Amino acid sequence: MKKTKEYYKDLLFLGYAQGERLTKEEVMQYKNSLASNQPTPENIVYGLDQRLYKVEDVDDEEFTRHSSLLLIKNLCTIKKCLVGIVVLIAVGLFFGVVGALTSAM
């Protein structure tokens, strides 16, 4: 798999890797390289705070472990949302039936 800027940006954004902020000198070197159309390292990306970060690659084991934990966390969140929706529907149906029975009398 070719490791592009998007790959490293996703690693940083999803929390798979911690980025190391570039120093002012490194930022200037990077911007000068961009201005002069020289090739730049793929692992230097902008973070959510619009600062430049150097992102280290993660090995497959770390990626799989972090992906599994992220998946479990998201599934728990989805489960909580579904339980809340079902409870709201049940309460709505209960009050609907009670309202229909009281208006029929």
Side-chain angles (χ1 to χ4, degrees), residues 24-37:
K24 289 182 181 182
E25 295 82 25
E26 291 171 327
V27 170
M28 291 303 294
Q29 287 176 351
Y30 180 79
K31 289 185 178 183
N32 289 337
S33 295
L34 282 178
S36 62
N37 291 330

Side-chain angles (χ1 to χ4, degrees), residues 4-13 19-22 30 41-55:
T4 62
K5 285 203 179 288
E6 283 298 318
Y7 169 78
Y8 287 105
K9 192 173 187 177
D10 290 341
L11 283 178
L12 183 64
F13 175 72
E20 179 183 327
R21 279 185 53 192
L22 297 183
Y30 180 79
E42 296 292 329
N43 67 335
I44 295 179
V45 296
Y46 283 96
L48 293 176
D49 57 358
Q50 299 303 314
R51 293 186 178 145
L52 283 169
Y53 289 90
K54 183 177 183 179
V55 180

Side-chain angles (χ1 to χ4, degrees), residues 63-81:
F63 185 82
T64 304
R65 185 174 60 84
H66 196 274
S67 294
S68 299
L69 292 173
L70 189 61
L71 178 68
I72 291 169
K73 179 181 173 185
N74 289 337
L75 285 174
C76 288
T77 302
I78 291 169
K79 178 183 172 187
K80 289 176 186 178
C81 291

